[in-house]
Amino acid sequence: MAYTTFNRQINDQMKEPMFFGNPVNVSRYDQQKYGIFEKLIEKQLSFFWRPEEVDVSKDRIDYQNLPPHEKHIFISNLKYQTLLDSVQGRSPNVAFLPIVSLPELETWIETWAFSETIHSRSYTHIVRNISSEPHKVFDDIMLNEKILERADDVTRYYDDLIDGINLYQRCGEGTHSINGETLSISLYELKRRLYLCVMSVNVLEAIRFYVSFACSFAFAERELMEGNAKIIRLIARDEALHLTGTQHMLNIMAAGDDDADMAKIAKECEEEAYAIFRKAAEQEKDWAEYLFKDGSMIGLNKDILCQYVEYITNSRMQAIGMKAIFSTTQNPIPWINTWLVSDNVQVAPQEAEISSYLVGQIDNEVDGGDFGDFDL
Amino acid sequence: MPCVKVTAGVVIDFDGRARSLLDALEQQKLEVNFHCREGYCGACRCKLLSGEISYINEPLAFVRKGEFLPCCSTPLTDIEIEIP
């Protein structure tokens, strides 16, 4: 029941479920129950980048020349992205690591969250460059009501799960009296919270992030704030991978072979899952209204962004076997796709870690003739 | 030369000039959603109604039964597909 950092129980990791089995003891990757998580780790590692590699110096001039309403769009969007990655940089670790049972999934969660911390660092890199008073931008995040409103929905499912895990790992299943408060927890309820949490993370990465990417790329389409767009493009490449990770988790859960309870829960929570998607889409539309409250920008306005919210929500729901909830079928901003192609992310071979360029390579092909001029 | 039938009534010959099915569809001005074009995001998923495809690189994205990713695949036989 209680969490241990090195579980002494000798177990067959290939027979453990993804979550709520034995805690992981040996981090071994010679065998994998779900090879996909190992592949995602390798891909994520090959994507490694650092914000300082991207030159954002021209953005400072661009930013200073933006009209006030566009400054508002740009900086508000950046603040929102900062909030999302602040949450994602820590929460998967805190929520999922105490309950994960497979080494490859454990490492995927750590690799995933680590890459989010790089994203957070890149926002500081961007803000430092465009403003001489970066502290004002960051200080405002905790005071901005529009941002805090959404923070609640982004974090609620994580907090519910973490709260439940704490109680379960300390006291076990049942009803407990803690500090005069009566609290109940069951493993089934915890699994339900886990499912909803993964669903809400999926929504965060599949919809909320992409709405913010659209705004970043809209500036770059006009050849403005291009350094920022280069960074966002690297972030988007990582997010596509994270999204694939959560989609795999959700689909493995819903299939039920991993844990029969999870398949039952997936069915029971269907309506709630639809509600999570619907609410996120509504919030993103409200956000679009806030962004464009003082005026639109060329190529993007409130209506277009709202249509994009509907389009991307539909497409993400269909990806995990749900039905579309909006009538929009066309992508109103098709130009966003070219910003999301991974080929267009330029990297030097030694940075991309392509298989044909290996660090510390050894030439194993030695011919007898190579020793021709050797004398003993 | 496998032929690709799209439910919109378009028939394309996959003659090897396109690297992937996605490229072939785009060359016919058919609009398919895409992001990564490498098989890890899953944005381009389409329905495979009949026939067989083979993957150039095994995709990382989750592909549901009856679906496939045109960005990293080529047709093995004549196929019929539906673009969502």
Side-chain angles (χ1 to χ4, degrees), chain A residues 9 40 45 54 60 65 81 91 114 146 149 174 274 287 309 311 325 348 359 367 376:
Chain A
Q9 172 97 33
L40 286 169
L45 291 177
V54 182
R60 188 185 190 91
N65 292 331
Q81 289 169 332
S91 314
F114 171 66
K146 292 284 168 189
E149 259 173 38
Y274 274 94
W287 177 250
V309 171
Y311 169 78
I325 52 172
V359 178
D367 189 72
L376 285 178

Side-chain angles (χ1 to χ4, degrees), chain A residues 36 39 43 47 210 237 240-241 244 247-248 251 311 316 319-321 330 337 340-342, chain B residues 31-38 40-43 45 58-64 67 84:
Chain A
I36 182 65
K39 288 183 190 150
K43 194 83 177 164
F47 281 176
Y210 279 78
R237 184 177 68 169
L241 213 55
T244 290
Q247 283 176 350
H248 274 285
N251 285 306
Y311 169 78
R316 300 314 196 187
I320 52 168
Q330 292 283 315
N337 291 346
L340 298 167
V341 177
S342 96
Chain B
E31 222 174 274
V32 188
N33 188 27
F34 67 86
H35 286 166
C36 75
R37 302 184 82 96
E38 247 186 46
Y40 65 80
C41 80
R45 47 171 77 77
E58 201 55 36
L60 292 187
F62 185 84
V63 186
R64 308 180 71 79
E67 291 182 339

Side-chain angles (χ1 to χ4, degrees), chain B residues 18-79:
Chain B
R19 189 193 70 92
S20 67
L21 270 159
L22 181 58
D23 288 353
L25 294 168
E26 284 174 342
Q27 283 167 9
Q28 299 301 314
K29 300 264 181 277
L30 287 163
E31 222 174 274
V32 188
N33 188 27
F34 67 86
H35 286 166
C36 75
R37 302 184 82 96
E38 247 186 46
Y40 65 80
C41 80
C44 64
R45 47 171 77 77
C46 291
K47 284 208 175 94
L48 182 62
L49 303 175
S50 68
E52 271 180 73
I53 55 110
S54 96
Y55 282 113
I56 308 163
N57 299 311
E58 201 55 36
L60 292 187
F62 185 84
V63 186
R64 308 180 71 79
K65 248 190 207 144
E67 291 182 339
F68 77 107
L69 301 183
C71 75
C72 54
S73 62
T74 55
L76 268 184
T77 62
D78 286 357
I79 58 169

Side-chain angles (χ1 to χ4, degrees), chain A residues 69 72-73 76-77 215 287-295 305:
Chain A
H69 73 278
H72 164 77
I73 297 169
S76 304
N77 191 48
C215 295
W287 177 250
E289 188 156 350
Y290 170 73
L291 279 185
F292 297 106
K293 69 182 170 63
D294 302 322
L305 194 57

